[in-house]
Amino acid sequence: LLAWLLTIILAALAGLPLTAGFFGKLFVFQAAVEAKLWLAVGISFIGVAAGFYYYFKVIKTMFWNASATGPTVALSPIAKYAIIALTILVIVLGVYPQPILSLLLN
């Protein structure tokens, strides 16, 4: 469960659509394009590509590398519920971003 939740959170950090991270990156890129900051946009695209590489490298390691029966990660119940709730929030705000948009545009 923790690996799947971390996968969703890393996808949001990478800026994949249907996550809240997508809208964050979208608004930053829109602002940079409107301000004609082309060098910043170019450097940002390189940073996004590098981020994709490193985020998905972690995901690959979680799912495709064989574990050597190492120690398991033990979470307290409150930490587990917090991670679950925040992951759900990342998805909900990615699918329905209107609550955040209304705060930003008012």
Side-chain angles (χ1 to χ4, degrees):
L1 176 66
L2 186 60
W4 283 105
L5 295 174
L6 184 59
T7 299
I8 294 168
I9 292 170
L10 287 171
L13 286 173
L16 290 181
L18 299 179
T19 63
F22 171 76
F23 288 103
K25 288 190 180 196
L26 176 69
F27 293 143
V28 169
F29 279 111
Q30 280 180 341
V33 168
E34 288 174 7
K36 298 184 183 352
L37 299 172
W38 303 115
L39 180 62
V41 170
I43 292 171
S44 298
F45 272 121
I46 293 169
V48 166
F52 265 95
Y53 172 76
Y54 285 108
Y55 297 142
F56 287 105
K57 194 173 178 180
V58 172
I59 293 170
K60 178 188 151 297
T61 301
M62 285 190 304
F63 287 105
W64 285 287
N65 288 0
S67 78
T69 64
T72 59
V73 177
L75 292 175
S76 67
I78 189 73
K80 185 184 296 187
Y81 294 130
I83 292 170
I84 290 169
L86 292 172
T87 303
I88 290 170
L89 188 64
V90 163
I91 295 170
V92 168
L93 290 176
V95 174
Y96 180 66
Q98 194 57 42
I100 297 296
L101 292 177
S102 65
L103 288 173
L104 291 174
L105 300 176
N106 287 335

